[in-house]
Amino acid sequence: MTAPAQRAQDLLQTDVFIPHMRQVGRCESSLGELNLMWRLIESSAKMNCPQEAQALLPMMAATRGGFERLEQDLVQSMVMQAVTGVTAGLASQAQHLIDTLVRNLYERTADVGFLATDAMLCQFMAAADGDGAAITQRLRAYRSKYTVYTDILLLDAEGQVRASARERSQATDQPCRDALIARALQSPGFVQSFGATDLLPGHGSALIYAHRMLHAGNRQPIGVLCLCFDFDGEMQGIWSSRDRIDGSGVPDAQTSIALLLDDQGLVLASSDLHWIGVGAKLQAHRDGAGPLYVHGGRTYLVQSAASAGYQGYMGPQGWRAQIMTPLELAFGLQQQAGLDGLDAAVAQGLLAHAHRFCPPLHAIRSAADTIRRVVWNGRVMTAGKQMDSTRLQAVLEQIGETGARTNEVFSRSIDALYGTVLNTALRDNSLLSSLLVDLLDRNLYERANDCRWWALTPQLSELLEDQALGETAPDQVSEACALLTAIHDLYTVYQQIMVYDVRGRVVAVSQRGRSDAEVRGLLDTYIETDSLQQVLALGGTQAYHVSPWRPCVQHEEDGSTYVYHAAIRNADGVVLGGIGLVFHAQREFTAMLESVTGVQAGGASSRQVAYLNRAGMVMSSSDVQLQPGMRLDLPPQMLALAPGQSMARAMVYQGQYCVVAITAGSGYREFKRSDGYREEVLALSVQAFGAVQDDAQAAVCRRNTRVQSLAAASRGSAYGMEMATFFVGRSVLAVDAACVLEAQSASAIAPVSAGRLPHCVGTLARRSQGVVAGYVWVFDLGALLFGKPVTRTAQSQVIVLEHQGLKLGVLVSDLEGVVRFESGQLRLAPAMAGAADRLVDRLIRANDGDLLIQCLNVTALVRMLKAPLPTEQAAGG
């Protein structure tokens, strides 16, 4: 596409969105009015005083041209940043949704493979008859711990249901005909299916994981185990979690619809069935496609995402998450929460790094500063000249008033753009921290299930019973270790799986990744006394215990972790000992942190994520500088968040301007919610944008300071004098406008011979009709006046002064305006001891006496610098 065609397309897209963005619409209207005012001023000067305004006309033409370009760029950037912010949020939500679901389903693939090898179940399936009640009880015990399953089925090779975890609605001798059975019998691994099935008569679509069961002797298939996933319950839980208010204060779930689509674009699940129901056919949004999509006569902004996979598992083929928000609602709730309540110095300092996190914002600020400087130069160009021309004076007044209004509109519009960009960062980091705690809670939920289920393994209770009687055979320990190793091979998130007796002595361990010597070194060690006491006191098979966050005594060198414990009991319920699962916390936490940060959009800023406890102690971090055990200095309200709540703010953190977001975990299903276990982990996301700016507070002061000119009735006073005002740090200074030639950006300073003269920072080229006409030396006015050099920023300027044919430049912090004062507002400055020639000789009481302005004595300045200053011809003129 050619550049003009692309430009036309961008403008067309802008026109589509503006009617739904009230703030942008108001900005566009204000900019349009200002554009018209500049045109009228230029036309008025050409018609009414063409000779007197000759020097002003190039300035006005440059202002108008720059303004028109800026007007288009500003409006388009406001629209595009708002759209980008919304679509980035939708994309993050979509990725969050599909990743959360696929990681959950990955655990099901391990469960079905493990349970299909359960000795009790395989013996039952191999026998022509058996204790069906005992098997049903075992299946129900499993389901009571892994509550993600609605049913667990055992079917023989002909598809006949042999056992079920729940009451079947009606007994039938008809075998199940679902093709899943045949596929499972022929596959060495798990198979999955989604859709209507006679395995669950009377239900709609079901998500089922199946695995064949083998005869213990001949290793031939004897049946199929099916885990029926609670798909509807899981999706409802995901929809409910979207109601969490994000860090920008916008409840996205109220204005968007979340969908799960299959590879054909059919809706498998919907968060709002009234608008888009299950079974509807949609076009999945693909990378590179435009964000607008029309469905059912309504226009939506849409983003979708496929899973990147987890541990090699990609989820059901073709599944995608898609988030859609109606265009008319997409921007209605977006307030500038990013700037509301934000410390002004932080906002100003962060804005100084706009070139890193939002180049369009930086470019627009630079263009606005250029226009302000052009207007300022235009005012000083004719200051004190031809004051008898009332027509020229009227033009100058209009330039001053319109320039002030232009500055105000630019500031307001740039703030709106800035707020949109900041809101996007706040929401993105808040969603990221929310995803992290969801992943963690869902992962640890499985660990609590594993320890309780494996504690029911008959071989383990037999081992401990024999140990208590002193009848344990060496082969029995080896078999138990082999069993734990087989489990460990399927569930690789653990460092160690160990079984211990009532004294806490370890009697069997998994051998995965360990030598015989290492295994022998673990046997006969003891678990922590406090954990043993908790395990012995557990009330039943549904109860479990998690150790505090600390190193495990068997693996102290691997750092802090959680150990999941459950009691092992005999047939009478007497506790014989327990099983301990040592979670591989450092590896697994790091994997979660890294996988999620990889999903987020990269860019010019750096981002770190971490898991913390309530005290702010680092449990795991993506930043090598944040080692586990370190305590972070975070606001107390962040560490005290209620479970499930998020907070995000822009703030100074560790010497950087950052967006910091934190979310408190709230558990998953019954885990950490109703099962008696409380251990809230916080997820932290820190996005750094740049180092703290020393001049930020002074810049806030400058931005909030406006020098008021004379009242309209007094502007024609012959006793008034026109002064060019500017800032050095926080101080407002003025100089007779007649002494000012121009102002240029400090970025144009060439550091030629800087430091050769006292307070000299380089030279500045002066141009005439586009070519260099000479050079001036530039001196740091802050160092000259206050002994403190001016902090260079994008707003720093050089004011070129002339006195008795000698030209020089002074470096200042920023320009303010060109203002007419009455002579009565001026007074002599207090005498300063030892100052023969005072650089500040007068003071101006401005703004009804609320502001004191220091007047720079150009004569004294030139006299001070003249002795070491090279001749005008050498320095340029």
Side-chain angles (χ1 to χ4, degrees), residues 545-587:
H545 167 70
V546 185
S547 70
W549 178 257
R550 65 189 180 193
C552 171
V553 69
Q554 281 77 23
H555 300 280
E556 289 183 323
E557 71 281 0
D558 294 320
S560 295
T561 187
Y562 292 120
V563 181
Y564 288 79
H565 295 271
I568 298 176
R569 304 167 188 270
N570 64 15
D572 297 325
V574 177
V575 176
L576 304 171
I579 186 169
L581 315 182
V582 185
F583 184 55
H584 208 321
Q586 297 307 321
R587 185 189 68 191

mmCIF file of all heavy atoms in Angstrom, residues 545-587:
data_model
loop_
_atom_site.group_PDB
_atom_site.id
_atom_site.type_symbol
_atom_site.label_atom_id
_atom_site.label_comp_id
_atom_site.label_asym_id
_atom_site.label_seq_id
_atom_site.Cartn_x
_atom_site.Cartn_y
_atom_site.Cartn_z
ATOM 1 N N HIS A 545 -2.224 -30.932 54.885
ATOM 2 C CA HIS A 545 -1.411 -29.901 55.544
ATOM 3 C C HIS A 545 -0.333 -29.440 54.569
ATOM 4 O O HIS A 545 0.266 -30.254 53.860
ATOM 5 C CB HIS A 545 -0.762 -30.450 56.815
ATOM 6 C CG HIS A 545 0.318 -29.556 57.362
ATOM 7 N ND1 HIS A 545 0.044 -28.331 57.932
ATOM 8 C CD2 HIS A 545 1.682 -29.705 57.406
ATOM 9 C CE1 HIS A 545 1.176 -27.762 58.300
ATOM 10 N NE2 HIS A 545 2.187 -28.572 57.996
ATOM 11 N N VAL A 546 -0.094 -28.124 54.548
ATOM 12 C CA VAL A 546 0.984 -27.556 53.733
ATOM 13 C C VAL A 546 1.987 -26.899 54.673
ATOM 14 O O VAL A 546 1.601 -26.103 55.548
ATOM 15 C CB VAL A 546 0.465 -26.525 52.717
ATOM 16 C CG1 VAL A 546 1.598 -26.062 51.803
ATOM 17 C CG2 VAL A 546 -0.680 -27.098 51.907
ATOM 18 N N SER A 547 3.232 -27.225 54.517
ATOM 19 C CA SER A 547 4.265 -26.635 55.377
ATOM 20 C C SER A 547 4.355 -25.139 55.132
ATOM 21 O O SER A 547 3.987 -24.649 54.063
ATOM 22 C CB SER A 547 5.617 -27.279 55.086
ATOM 23 O OG SER A 547 6.080 -26.869 53.793
ATOM 24 N N PRO A 548 4.863 -24.386 56.109
ATOM 25 C CA PRO A 548 5.154 -22.971 55.838
ATOM 26 C C PRO A 548 6.197 -22.855 54.728
ATOM 27 O O PRO A 548 6.902 -23.809 54.422
ATOM 28 C CB PRO A 548 5.700 -22.468 57.180
ATOM 29 C CG PRO A 548 5.260 -23.464 58.198
ATOM 30 C CD PRO A 548 5.198 -24.780 57.482
ATOM 31 N N TRP A 549 6.262 -21.655 54.153
ATOM 32 C CA TRP A 549 7.259 -21.390 53.105
ATOM 33 C C TRP A 549 8.655 -21.389 53.732
ATOM 34 O O TRP A 549 9.031 -20.482 54.469
ATOM 35 C CB TRP A 549 6.954 -20.049 52.431
ATOM 36 C CG TRP A 549 7.934 -19.655 51.379
ATOM 37 C CD1 TRP A 549 8.933 -18.743 51.484
ATOM 38 C CD2 TRP A 549 8.019 -20.164 50.042
ATOM 39 N NE1 TRP A 549 9.632 -18.644 50.311
ATOM 40 C CE2 TRP A 549 9.083 -19.505 49.400
ATOM 41 C CE3 TRP A 549 7.286 -21.112 49.330
ATOM 42 C CZ2 TRP A 549 9.444 -19.759 48.089
ATOM 43 C CZ3 TRP A 549 7.635 -21.361 48.009
ATOM 44 C CH2 TRP A 549 8.699 -20.694 47.405
ATOM 45 N N ARG A 550 9.424 -22.436 53.476
ATOM 46 C CA ARG A 550 10.744 -22.585 54.071
ATOM 47 C C ARG A 550 11.474 -23.714 53.347
ATOM 48 O O ARG A 550 10.854 -24.491 52.608
ATOM 49 C CB ARG A 550 10.622 -22.924 55.557
ATOM 50 C CG ARG A 550 9.983 -24.282 55.811
ATOM 51 C CD ARG A 550 9.666 -24.510 57.266
ATOM 52 N NE ARG A 550 9.040 -25.822 57.478
ATOM 53 C CZ ARG A 550 8.439 -26.172 58.607
ATOM 54 N NH1 ARG A 550 8.387 -25.319 59.623
ATOM 55 N NH2 ARG A 550 7.901 -27.375 58.721
ATOM 56 N N PRO A 551 12.771 -23.883 53.559
ATOM 57 C CA PRO A 551 13.472 -25.028 52.976
ATOM 58 C C PRO A 551 12.976 -26.331 53.601
ATOM 59 O O PRO A 551 12.679 -26.394 54.791
ATOM 60 C CB PRO A 551 14.941 -24.770 53.331
ATOM 61 C CG PRO A 551 15.023 -23.301 53.610
ATOM 62 C CD PRO A 551 13.708 -22.937 54.207
ATOM 63 N N CYS A 552 12.887 -27.363 52.787
ATOM 64 C CA CYS A 552 12.549 -28.699 53.279
ATOM 65 C C CYS A 552 13.816 -29.310 53.869
ATOM 66 O O CYS A 552 14.908 -29.188 53.289
ATOM 67 C CB CYS A 552 12.017 -29.552 52.135
ATOM 68 S SG CYS A 552 11.817 -31.294 52.544
ATOM 69 N N VAL A 553 13.695 -29.975 55.000
ATOM 70 C CA VAL A 553 14.873 -30.497 55.676
ATOM 71 C C VAL A 553 15.634 -31.487 54.798
ATOM 72 O O VAL A 553 16.858 -31.616 54.896
ATOM 73 C CB VAL A 553 14.476 -31.146 57.029
ATOM 74 C CG1 VAL A 553 13.672 -32.422 56.821
ATOM 75 C CG2 VAL A 553 15.716 -31.423 57.872
ATOM 76 N N GLN A 554 14.913 -32.195 53.916
ATOM 77 C CA GLN A 554 15.589 -33.148 53.025
ATOM 78 C C GLN A 554 16.256 -32.456 51.828
ATOM 79 O O GLN A 554 17.060 -33.070 51.133
ATOM 80 C CB GLN A 554 14.597 -34.198 52.506
ATOM 81 C CG GLN A 554 14.274 -35.315 53.486
ATOM 82 C CD GLN A 554 13.313 -34.866 54.575
ATOM 83 O OE1 GLN A 554 12.573 -33.903 54.389
ATOM 84 N NE2 GLN A 554 13.314 -35.560 55.704
ATOM 85 N N HIS A 555 15.890 -31.202 51.556
ATOM 86 C CA HIS A 555 16.426 -30.507 50.374
ATOM 87 C C HIS A 555 16.708 -29.040 50.714
ATOM 88 O O HIS A 555 16.300 -28.133 49.986
ATOM 89 C CB HIS A 555 15.436 -30.600 49.209
ATOM 90 C CG HIS A 555 15.133 -31.990 48.770
ATOM 91 N ND1 HIS A 555 15.971 -32.712 47.951
ATOM 92 C CD2 HIS A 555 14.099 -32.820 49.067
ATOM 93 C CE1 HIS A 555 15.461 -33.919 47.740
ATOM 94 N NE2 HIS A 555 14.329 -34.013 48.413
ATOM 95 N N GLU A 556 17.400 -28.808 51.797
ATOM 96 C CA GLU A 556 17.626 -27.432 52.247
ATOM 97 C C GLU A 556 18.421 -26.628 51.230
ATOM 98 O O GLU A 556 18.263 -25.406 51.119
ATOM 99 C CB GLU A 556 18.361 -27.453 53.592
ATOM 100 C CG GLU A 556 17.496 -27.922 54.746
ATOM 101 C CD GLU A 556 18.225 -27.855 56.076
ATOM 102 O OE1 GLU A 556 19.449 -28.146 56.092
ATOM 103 O OE2 GLU A 556 17.575 -27.510 57.059
ATOM 104 N N GLU A 557 19.271 -27.301 50.453
ATOM 105 C CA GLU A 557 20.118 -26.579 49.502
ATOM 106 C C GLU A 557 19.325 -26.011 48.337
ATOM 107 O O GLU A 557 19.830 -25.163 47.587
ATOM 108 C CB GLU A 557 21.226 -27.518 48.976
ATOM 109 C CG GLU A 557 20.750 -28.615 48.032
ATOM 110 C CD GLU A 557 20.108 -29.808 48.740
ATOM 111 O OE1 GLU A 557 20.022 -29.782 49.990
ATOM 112 O OE2 GLU A 557 19.691 -30.752 48.037
ATOM 113 N N ASP A 558 18.072 -26.452 48.154
ATOM 114 C CA ASP A 558 17.275 -26.012 47.003
ATOM 115 C C ASP A 558 16.390 -24.816 47.308
ATOM 116 O O ASP A 558 15.579 -24.414 46.476
ATOM 117 C CB ASP A 558 16.417 -27.173 46.493
ATOM 118 C CG ASP A 558 17.268 -28.295 45.922
ATOM 119 O OD1 ASP A 558 18.260 -27.976 45.241
ATOM 120 O OD2 ASP A 558 16.965 -29.470 46.174
ATOM 121 N N GLY A 559 16.492 -24.245 48.484
ATOM 122 C CA GLY A 559 15.731 -23.049 48.801
ATOM 123 C C GLY A 559 14.358 -23.367 49.350
ATOM 124 O O GLY A 559 13.953 -24.520 49.508
ATOM 125 N N SER A 560 13.621 -22.297 49.639
ATOM 126 C CA SER A 560 12.303 -22.436 50.259
ATOM 127 C C SER A 560 11.291 -23.041 49.296
ATOM 128 O O SER A 560 11.384 -22.870 48.069
ATOM 129 C CB SER A 560 11.811 -21.076 50.736
ATOM 130 O OG SER A 560 12.640 -20.570 51.760
ATOM 131 N N THR A 561 10.315 -23.722 49.866
ATOM 132 C CA THR A 561 9.283 -24.369 49.060
ATOM 133 C C THR A 561 8.097 -24.699 49.952
ATOM 134 O O THR A 561 8.089 -24.393 51.155
ATOM 135 C CB THR A 561 9.821 -25.644 48.395
ATOM 136 O OG1 THR A 561 8.839 -26.150 47.499
ATOM 137 C CG2 THR A 561 10.160 -26.712 49.420
ATOM 138 N N TYR A 562 7.095 -25.320 49.369
ATOM 139 C CA TYR A 562 5.976 -25.883 50.109
ATOM 140 C C TYR A 562 6.089 -27.411 50.051
ATOM 141 O O TYR A 562 6.470 -27.970 49.018
ATOM 142 C CB TYR A 562 4.639 -25.487 49.492
ATOM 143 C CG TYR A 562 4.293 -24.016 49.595
ATOM 144 C CD1 TYR A 562 4.078 -23.262 48.442
ATOM 145 C CD2 TYR A 562 4.161 -23.396 50.827
ATOM 146 C CE1 TYR A 562 3.743 -21.924 48.521
ATOM 147 C CE2 TYR A 562 3.830 -22.052 50.920
ATOM 148 C CZ TYR A 562 3.627 -21.323 49.759
ATOM 149 O OH TYR A 562 3.294 -19.993 49.852
ATOM 150 N N VAL A 563 5.736 -28.053 51.139
ATOM 151 C CA VAL A 563 5.622 -29.511 51.149
ATOM 152 C C VAL A 563 4.162 -29.842 51.461
ATOM 153 O O VAL A 563 3.620 -29.376 52.473
ATOM 154 C CB VAL A 563 6.555 -30.161 52.187
ATOM 155 C CG1 VAL A 563 6.408 -31.682 52.134
ATOM 156 C CG2 VAL A 563 8.002 -29.750 51.940
ATOM 157 N N TYR A 564 3.532 -30.617 50.594
ATOM 158 C CA TYR A 564 2.118 -30.975 50.735
ATOM 159 C C TYR A 564 2.035 -32.343 51.406
ATOM 160 O O TYR A 564 2.588 -33.323 50.912
ATOM 161 C CB TYR A 564 1.433 -30.982 49.368
ATOM 162 C CG TYR A 564 1.257 -29.584 48.847
ATOM 163 C CD1 TYR A 564 2.324 -28.891 48.269
ATOM 164 C CD2 TYR A 564 0.038 -28.922 48.965
ATOM 165 C CE1 TYR A 564 2.184 -27.591 47.829
ATOM 166 C CE2 TYR A 564 -0.112 -27.615 48.527
ATOM 167 C CZ TYR A 564 0.955 -26.959 47.968
ATOM 168 O OH TYR A 564 0.811 -25.668 47.543
ATOM 169 N N HIS A 565 1.343 -32.392 52.541
ATOM 170 C CA HIS A 565 1.259 -33.603 53.349
ATOM 171 C C HIS A 565 -0.184 -34.091 53.449
ATOM 172 O O HIS A 565 -1.123 -33.274 53.531
ATOM 173 C CB HIS A 565 1.738 -33.331 54.787
ATOM 174 C CG HIS A 565 3.179 -32.973 54.904
ATOM 175 N ND1 HIS A 565 4.168 -33.924 55.060
ATOM 176 C CD2 HIS A 565 3.807 -31.759 54.906
ATOM 177 C CE1 HIS A 565 5.344 -33.311 55.165
ATOM 178 N NE2 HIS A 565 5.154 -31.999 55.074
ATOM 179 N N ALA A 566 -0.345 -35.420 53.476
ATOM 180 C CA ALA A 566 -1.625 -36.043 53.805
ATOM 181 C C ALA A 566 -1.336 -37.280 54.636
ATOM 182 O O ALA A 566 -0.269 -37.909 54.506
ATOM 183 C CB ALA A 566 -2.401 -36.404 52.551
ATOM 184 N N ALA A 567 -2.288 -37.615 55.494
ATOM 185 C CA ALA A 567 -2.112 -38.773 56.366
ATOM 186 C C ALA A 567 -2.418 -40.070 55.613
ATOM 187 O O ALA A 567 -3.357 -40.119 54.804
ATOM 188 C CB ALA A 567 -3.018 -38.656 57.584
ATOM 189 N N ILE A 568 -1.615 -41.086 55.861
ATOM 190 C CA ILE A 568 -1.880 -42.438 55.352
ATOM 191 C C ILE A 568 -2.514 -43.234 56.492
ATOM 192 O O ILE A 568 -1.972 -43.285 57.610
ATOM 193 C CB ILE A 568 -0.582 -43.105 54.866
ATOM 194 C CG1 ILE A 568 0.017 -42.306 53.691
ATOM 195 C CG2 ILE A 568 -0.843 -44.554 54.445
ATOM 196 C CD1 ILE A 568 1.360 -42.830 53.209
ATOM 197 N N ARG A 569 -3.663 -43.863 56.228
ATOM 198 C CA ARG A 569 -4.436 -44.536 57.274
ATOM 199 C C ARG A 569 -4.640 -46.008 56.925
ATOM 200 O O ARG A 569 -4.566 -46.401 55.755
ATOM 201 C CB ARG A 569 -5.803 -43.850 57.431
ATOM 202 C CG ARG A 569 -5.712 -42.358 57.719
ATOM 203 C CD ARG A 569 -7.056 -41.649 57.570
ATOM 204 N NE ARG A 569 -6.895 -40.202 57.672
ATOM 205 C CZ ARG A 569 -6.974 -39.532 58.824
ATOM 206 N NH1 ARG A 569 -7.239 -40.187 59.950
ATOM 207 N NH2 ARG A 569 -6.806 -38.218 58.852
ATOM 208 N N ASN A 570 -4.970 -46.786 57.975
ATOM 209 C CA ASN A 570 -5.351 -48.175 57.728
ATOM 210 C C ASN A 570 -6.854 -48.237 57.462
ATOM 211 O O ASN A 570 -7.529 -47.195 57.395
ATOM 212 C CB ASN A 570 -4.937 -49.079 58.894
ATOM 213 C CG ASN A 570 -5.658 -48.716 60.193
ATOM 214 O OD1 ASN A 570 -6.661 -47.993 60.201
ATOM 215 N ND2 ASN A 570 -5.135 -49.227 61.308
ATOM 216 N N ALA A 571 -7.364 -49.437 57.318
ATOM 217 C CA ALA A 571 -8.781 -49.591 56.981
ATOM 218 C C ALA A 571 -9.695 -49.020 58.049
ATOM 219 O O ALA A 571 -10.848 -48.641 57.770
ATOM 220 C CB ALA A 571 -9.095 -51.069 56.757
ATOM 221 N N ASP A 572 -9.215 -48.925 59.275
ATOM 222 C CA ASP A 572 -10.035 -48.392 60.373
ATOM 223 C C ASP A 572 -9.881 -46.885 60.532
ATOM 224 O O ASP A 572 -10.458 -46.296 61.448
ATOM 225 C CB ASP A 572 -9.639 -49.080 61.685
ATOM 226 C CG ASP A 572 -9.924 -50.579 61.645
ATOM 227 O OD1 ASP A 572 -10.941 -50.959 61.021
ATOM 228 O OD2 ASP A 572 -9.122 -51.346 62.206
ATOM 229 N N GLY A 573 -9.095 -46.259 59.669
ATOM 230 C CA GLY A 573 -8.911 -44.813 59.748
ATOM 231 C C GLY A 573 -7.822 -44.363 60.687
ATOM 232 O O GLY A 573 -7.647 -43.153 60.909
ATOM 233 N N VAL A 574 -7.064 -45.303 61.244
ATOM 234 C CA VAL A 574 -5.973 -44.943 62.144
ATOM 235 C C VAL A 574 -4.778 -44.442 61.330
ATOM 236 O O VAL A 574 -4.381 -45.066 60.335
ATOM 237 C CB VAL A 574 -5.557 -46.152 63.013
ATOM 238 C CG1 VAL A 574 -4.362 -45.791 63.894
ATOM 239 C CG2 VAL A 574 -6.728 -46.615 63.860
ATOM 240 N N VAL A 575 -4.200 -43.334 61.758
ATOM 241 C CA VAL A 575 -3.078 -42.747 61.030
ATOM 242 C C VAL A 575 -1.826 -43.590 61.234
ATOM 243 O O VAL A 575 -1.416 -43.856 62.377
ATOM 244 C CB VAL A 575 -2.815 -41.303 61.481
ATOM 245 C CG1 VAL A 575 -1.573 -40.736 60.786
ATOM 246 C CG2 VAL A 575 -4.028 -40.424 61.198
ATOM 247 N N LEU A 576 -1.228 -44.011 60.122
ATOM 248 C CA LEU A 576 -0.005 -44.816 60.150
ATOM 249 C C LEU A 576 1.246 -43.989 59.850
ATOM 250 O O LEU A 576 2.370 -44.432 60.094
ATOM 251 C CB LEU A 576 -0.101 -45.947 59.114
ATOM 252 C CG LEU A 576 -1.305 -46.888 59.234
ATOM 253 C CD1 LEU A 576 -1.370 -47.807 58.030
ATOM 254 C CD2 LEU A 576 -1.208 -47.692 60.527
ATOM 255 N N GLY A 577 1.039 -42.839 59.311
ATOM 256 C CA GLY A 577 2.144 -41.975 58.883
ATOM 257 C C GLY A 577 1.609 -41.002 57.855
ATOM 258 O O GLY A 577 0.438 -40.589 57.921
ATOM 259 N N GLY A 578 2.435 -40.662 56.887
ATOM 260 C CA GLY A 578 1.961 -39.698 55.900
ATOM 261 C C GLY A 578 2.786 -39.718 54.639
ATOM 262 O O GLY A 578 3.815 -40.402 54.534
ATOM 263 N N ILE A 579 2.318 -38.959 53.660
ATOM 264 C CA ILE A 579 3.045 -38.769 52.404
ATOM 265 C C ILE A 579 3.347 -37.284 52.266
ATOM 266 O O ILE A 579 2.512 -36.429 52.596
ATOM 267 C CB ILE A 579 2.226 -39.289 51.199
ATOM 268 C CG1 ILE A 579 3.068 -39.215 49.909
ATOM 269 C CG2 ILE A 579 0.911 -38.540 51.032
ATOM 270 C CD1 ILE A 579 2.428 -39.945 48.731
ATOM 271 N N GLY A 580 4.557 -36.962 51.853
ATOM 272 C CA GLY A 580 4.968 -35.578 51.663
ATOM 273 C C GLY A 580 5.424 -35.340 50.234
ATOM 274 O O GLY A 580 6.276 -36.074 49.723
ATOM 275 N N LEU A 581 4.837 -34.348 49.590
ATOM 276 C CA LEU A 581 5.208 -33.985 48.214
ATOM 277 C C LEU A 581 5.990 -32.673 48.279
ATOM 278 O O LEU A 581 5.444 -31.628 48.619
ATOM 279 C CB LEU A 581 3.961 -33.807 47.342
ATOM 280 C CG LEU A 581 2.857 -34.863 47.466
ATOM 281 C CD1 LEU A 581 1.730 -34.548 46.491
ATOM 282 C CD2 LEU A 581 3.402 -36.266 47.225
ATOM 283 N N VAL A 582 7.264 -32.746 47.964
ATOM 284 C CA VAL A 582 8.126 -31.562 48.008
ATOM 285 C C VAL A 582 8.012 -30.851 46.667
ATOM 286 O O VAL A 582 8.544 -31.305 45.646
ATOM 287 C CB VAL A 582 9.589 -31.948 48.300
ATOM 288 C CG1 VAL A 582 10.437 -30.686 48.459
ATOM 289 C CG2 VAL A 582 9.672 -32.813 49.556
ATOM 290 N N PHE A 583 7.287 -29.769 46.671
ATOM 291 C CA PHE A 583 7.047 -29.013 45.435
ATOM 292 C C PHE A 583 8.341 -28.370 44.956
ATOM 293 O O PHE A 583 9.100 -27.800 45.746
ATOM 294 C CB PHE A 583 5.987 -27.948 45.705
ATOM 295 C CG PHE A 583 5.573 -27.156 44.499
ATOM 296 C CD1 PHE A 583 5.102 -27.785 43.359
ATOM 297 C CD2 PHE A 583 5.629 -25.770 44.509
ATOM 298 C CE1 PHE A 583 4.709 -27.048 42.243
ATOM 299 C CE2 PHE A 583 5.235 -25.025 43.406
ATOM 300 C CZ PHE A 583 4.776 -25.673 42.272
ATOM 301 N N HIS A 584 8.592 -28.472 43.647
ATOM 302 C CA HIS A 584 9.804 -27.868 43.058
ATOM 303 C C HIS A 584 9.518 -26.388 42.810
ATOM 304 O O HIS A 584 9.415 -25.926 41.673
ATOM 305 C CB HIS A 584 10.156 -28.587 41.760
ATOM 306 C CG HIS A 584 11.614 -28.548 41.433
ATOM 307 N ND1 HIS A 584 12.398 -27.437 41.657
ATOM 308 C CD2 HIS A 584 12.453 -29.498 40.910
ATOM 309 C CE1 HIS A 584 13.632 -27.681 41.267
ATOM 310 N NE2 HIS A 584 13.698 -28.930 40.830
ATOM 311 N N ALA A 585 9.422 -25.646 43.917
ATOM 312 C CA ALA A 585 8.887 -24.288 43.859
ATOM 313 C C ALA A 585 9.728 -23.343 43.008
ATOM 314 O O ALA A 585 9.189 -22.615 42.168
ATOM 315 C CB ALA A 585 8.733 -23.732 45.272
ATOM 316 N N GLN A 586 11.041 -23.330 43.228
ATOM 317 C CA GLN A 586 11.854 -22.359 42.510
ATOM 318 C C GLN A 586 11.788 -22.580 41.002
ATOM 319 O O GLN A 586 11.671 -21.626 40.226
ATOM 320 C CB GLN A 586 13.303 -22.420 43.004
ATOM 321 C CG GLN A 586 13.466 -22.043 44.471
ATOM 322 C CD GLN A 586 12.842 -20.693 44.805
ATOM 323 O OE1 GLN A 586 12.915 -19.740 44.033
ATOM 324 N NE2 GLN A 586 12.195 -20.614 45.962
ATOM 325 N N ARG A 587 11.827 -23.821 40.578
ATOM 326 C CA ARG A 587 11.756 -24.096 39.140
ATOM 327 C C ARG A 587 10.372 -23.792 38.597
ATOM 328 O O ARG A 587 10.225 -23.134 37.548
ATOM 329 C CB ARG A 587 12.107 -25.553 38.871
ATOM 330 C CG ARG A 587 12.168 -25.911 37.380
ATOM 331 C CD ARG A 587 12.301 -27.399 37.175
ATOM 332 N NE ARG A 587 11.091 -28.117 37.587
ATOM 333 C CZ ARG A 587 11.004 -29.430 37.720
ATOM 334 N NH1 ARG A 587 12.064 -30.182 37.525
ATOM 335 N NH2 ARG A 587 9.871 -29.994 38.082
#
